[in-house]
Amino acid sequence: MTATRPPAEPLIGRFIRLDPFAPDDLPGLRAALVHPEVFAGGYGGGPAGLPHDDAEWAAFAAGQWQPGPTQMPWTIRIVGGPDDGTIVGTSTLGDLDLANEAAHIGWTGYDPRVWGTAVNAEAKRLLLGLAFDHGFERVKIQTDVINARSRAAIEKLGAVFEGIVRHAKRRADGSWRDTVVYSVLRDEWPAVRAGLDARLAAFDGPVTLT
């Protein structure tokens, strides 16, 4: 099956929806993401990348969300309940390599109030499904080696550990980041999907921020 670039259309689940990123989303993304605990694990280059004012936020946003032929950033909103429509995070289906049928789910961050809820599981369920439905063979998911929370979440998905790329890139403070790499292959997707569906079925809805 030849990979094709998915359409930039909303992905709607039981708990969340993923909308293609739009500049109008920036205030909501700022409210959801600009917290020390979000950047502590490596998001945005780590703690030193945390924006402290409007100018720093503008610079961060300009580099973080860049839709294009190989990058599809999404804004994540709650579906249903008292917080319906509230922006709670972001993720990107990126590094789209159609010839080699490879993609990367990353650049992911969530409002700390939705950590441990159905949000991450459903976001991965929707994005992995999108990739495999459009012919991709391999989807990479990776994180900073110091981000124990993210590593545990990726492993819980059923993604396979591939290794650690040492000194993969600089963090915002200039230190070297080692990147932990996982992946899901097409023939592994049915089992991963079943696991995610079982996890999501166990959650009561909707997701709330209180």
Side-chain angles (χ1 to χ4, degrees), residues 124-143:
K124 294 300 191 293
R125 172 65 173 85
L126 292 168
L127 288 173
L128 285 165
L130 183 70
F132 291 119
D133 286 349
H134 285 83
F136 287 87
E137 173 65 22
R138 175 178 184 271
V139 179
K140 177 177 67 173
I141 308 173
Q142 62 187 33
T143 190

Side-chain angles (χ1 to χ4, degrees), residues 180-200:
V180 189
V181 181
Y182 300 81
S183 68
V184 179
L185 303 182
R186 167 176 294 281
D187 60 4
E188 297 164 345
W189 171 230
V192 171
R193 179 178 59 211
L196 287 169
D197 286 345
R199 284 174 58 192
L200 290 167

Side-chain angles (χ1 to χ4, degrees), residues 6-206:
E9 298 173 349
L11 305 173
I12 302 172
R14 176 183 166 203
F15 301 98
I16 59 170
R17 61 181 290 148
L18 279 69
D19 294 308
F21 166 78
D24 287 348
D25 299 335
L26 288 173
L29 288 167
R30 185 176 185 176
L33 301 174
V34 181
H35 305 284
E37 56 267 47
V38 175
F39 284 72
Y43 180 76
L50 177 70
H52 292 94
D53 56 32
D54 290 348
E56 290 183 1
W57 168 251
F60 174 81
Q64 189 73 5
W65 293 285
Q66 298 179 333
T70 65
Q71 299 292 108
M72 301 183 70
W74 304 85
T75 298
I76 301 171
R77 292 176 167 84
I78 290 175
V79 168
D83 300 302
D84 182 63
T86 301
I87 292 173
V88 292
T90 182
S91 194
T92 293
L93 182 65
D95 296 340
L96 300 178
D97 181 347
L98 301 184
N100 291 302
E101 300 177 356
H104 171 196
I105 295 174
W107 304 271
T108 302
Y110 300 113
D111 187 316
R113 292 175 294 176
V114 301
W115 291 356
T117 70
V119 169
N120 183 58
E122 189 156 63
K124 294 300 191 293
R125 172 65 173 85
L126 292 168
L127 288 173
L128 285 165
L130 183 70
F132 291 119
D133 286 349
H134 285 83
F136 287 87
E137 173 65 22
R138 175 178 184 271
V139 179
K140 177 177 67 173
I141 308 173
Q142 62 187 33
T143 190
D144 193 318
V145 71
I146 67 172
N147 194 337
R149 177 186 293 274
S150 180
R151 292 179 68 172
I154 296 168
E155 290 165 4
K156 192 173 182 180
L157 295 172
V160 174
F161 172 73
E162 293 189 336
I164 296 175
V165 181
R166 298 181 300 163
H167 288 199
K169 63 179 182 179
R170 296 277 190 183
R171 299 187 181 99
D173 65 2
S175 63
W176 283 107
R177 163 178 153 155
D178 292 347
T179 295
V180 189
V181 181
Y182 300 81
S183 68
V184 179
L185 303 182
R186 167 176 294 281
D187 60 4
E188 297 164 345
W189 171 230
V192 171
R193 179 178 59 211
L196 287 169
D197 286 345
R199 284 174 58 192
L200 290 167
F203 281 103
D204 292 327

